[in-house]
């Protein structure tokens, strides 16, 4: 909970910068969506979740972004408090995934509203209490069962089920796996620490240690932007 509260403070600071960048991109957008039209909100609803899917996927597949996201996964427990266990410094870079919403013509307040609703939806899926939702709901939407898979370190579950509200982007892009065995939670290399600062920085330390073992510039660069 403390990690989550501090992430709000840093998120607000980084948000000031990202809001300026977003606003600039919106101003140069050749088209502006009419926010009084219901269909604009419908498009934004799917666009935001699509952007979240790729932000979430790349946060697992590229070490630079994983160093932020690992904070959320490093707990070996799985309950509602894990939903707010977020990186203190992710605001440095995560905003780049949402600039397309500005460039296609959605104002900041509309995007922030929709993205906030997306994140609120994801709170309730961090639970072991709910086993399965109705089959039709499980097919289209992200659920506790799907998200338990995402937090699992079982080999079949690694780097799967990236969806925010929907799960069909995972089905489309081949990253969906159903829950078929008990989930083991955490990360492959557990940190065994409740130190707040270490929880937020151990990924960067591990990356630096890996870079020191490489001899060429390109191999060092792969330690930052590779898988």
């Amino acid at each position: 909970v403390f990690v989550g509260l501090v992430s709000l403070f840093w998120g607000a600071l980084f948000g000031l910068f990202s809001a300026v960048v977003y606003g600039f991109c919106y101003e140069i957008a050749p088209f502006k969506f009419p926010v009084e039209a219901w269909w604009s909100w419908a498009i934004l609803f799917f666009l935001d979740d699509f952007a979240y899917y790729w932000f979430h996927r790349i946060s697992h597949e590229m070490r630079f972004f994983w160093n932020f996201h690992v904070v959320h996964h490093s707990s070996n427990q799985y309950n509602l408090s894990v939903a707010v266990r977020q990186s203190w410094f992710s605001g440095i870079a995560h905003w780049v995934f949402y600039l397309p919403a500005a460039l296609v013509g959605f104002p900041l307040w509309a995007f922030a509203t929709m993205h906030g609703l997306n994140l609120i939806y994801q709170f309730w899926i961090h639970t072991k209490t709910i086993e399965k939702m109705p089959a039709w709901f499980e097919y289209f939407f992200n659920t506790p069962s799907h998200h338990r898979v995402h937090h699992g370190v079982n080999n079949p579950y690694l780097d799967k089920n990236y969806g925010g509200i929907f799960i069909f982007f995972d089905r489309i892009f081949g990253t969906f796996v159903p829950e078929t065995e008990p989930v083991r939670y955490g990360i492959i290399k557990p940190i065994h620490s409740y130190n707040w600062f270490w929880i937020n920085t151990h990924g960067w330390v591990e990356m630096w240690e890996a870079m020191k073992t490489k001899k060429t510039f390109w191999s060092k660069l792969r330690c930052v932007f590779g898988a």
Side-chain angles (χ1 to χ4, degrees):
V1 171
F2 181 81
V3 169
L5 289 173
V6 176
S7 75
L8 292 177
F9 170 78
W10 286 105
L13 291 181
F14 294 129
L16 294 174
F17 168 76
S18 58
V20 171
V21 178
Y22 189 103
F24 173 78
C25 292
Y26 174 71
E27 290 301 322
I28 65 174
F31 175 79
K32 304 292 192 296
F33 275 89
V35 291
E36 68 278 2
W38 68 267
W39 52 267
S40 290
W41 289 94
I43 292 173
L44 181 57
F45 181 56
F46 288 99
L47 175 64
D48 176 62
D49 206 62
F50 183 71
Y52 179 84
Y53 170 85
W54 285 106
F55 144 72
H56 201 181
R57 180 170 177 173
I58 293 173
S59 291
H60 279 254
E61 296 181 350
M62 182 185 295
R63 191 169 196 166
F64 176 80
F65 289 103
W66 171 249
N67 288 345
F68 301 113
H69 192 55
V70 69
V71 175
H72 181 58
H73 281 265
S74 59
S75 173
N76 60 7
Q77 305 296 319
Y78 191 73
N79 53 51
L80 294 177
S81 73
V82 175
V84 300
R85 183 188 175 104
Q86 302 291 339
S87 168
W88 292 353
F89 311 118
S90 60
I92 292 173
H94 285 177
W95 52 272
V96 300
F97 292 95
Y98 302 107
L99 288 185
L103 293 170
V104 300
F106 287 104
L108 177 61
W109 71 268
F111 167 77
T113 300
M114 187 60 70
H115 191 61
L117 293 173
N118 190 302
L119 297 179
I120 289 171
Y121 175 91
Q122 294 182 53
F123 178 76
W124 75 279
I125 62 178
H126 290 82
T127 180
K128 294 185 285 187
T129 304
I130 301 172
E131 293 188 5
K132 291 281 187 178
M133 301 295 289
W136 68 267
F137 196 92
E138 292 279 343
Y139 189 83
F140 290 104
F141 294 96
N142 199 6
T143 66
S145 177
H146 298 329
H147 205 59
R148 285 193 293 269
V149 166
H150 178 71
H151 276 262
V153 292
N154 315 44
N155 193 56
Y157 294 166
L158 290 174
D159 300 331
K160 303 296 182 183
N161 297 4
Y162 298 112
I165 292 177
F166 297 110
I167 201 66
F168 54 67
F169 290 125
D170 287 283
R171 297 183 186 276
I172 293 171
F173 295 111
T175 54
F176 173 74
V177 167
E179 186 179 24
T180 56
E181 60 185 61
V183 182
R184 290 182 289 108
Y185 300 101
I187 53 179
I188 294 174
K189 183 182 177 182
I191 57 174
H192 302 299
S193 173
Y194 292 103
N195 182 293
W196 302 317
F197 189 71
W198 182 243
I199 289 170
N200 277 274
T201 57
H202 72 94
W204 300 99
V205 173
E206 292 168 7
M207 183 185 75
W208 177 250
E209 293 298 324
M211 291 175 68
K212 289 194 296 185
T213 66
K214 307 299 182 182
K215 298 185 181 303
T216 68
F217 172 78
W218 292 111
S219 60
K220 291 180 185 293
L221 204 61
R222 280 178 56 83
C223 288
V224 181
F225 298 105

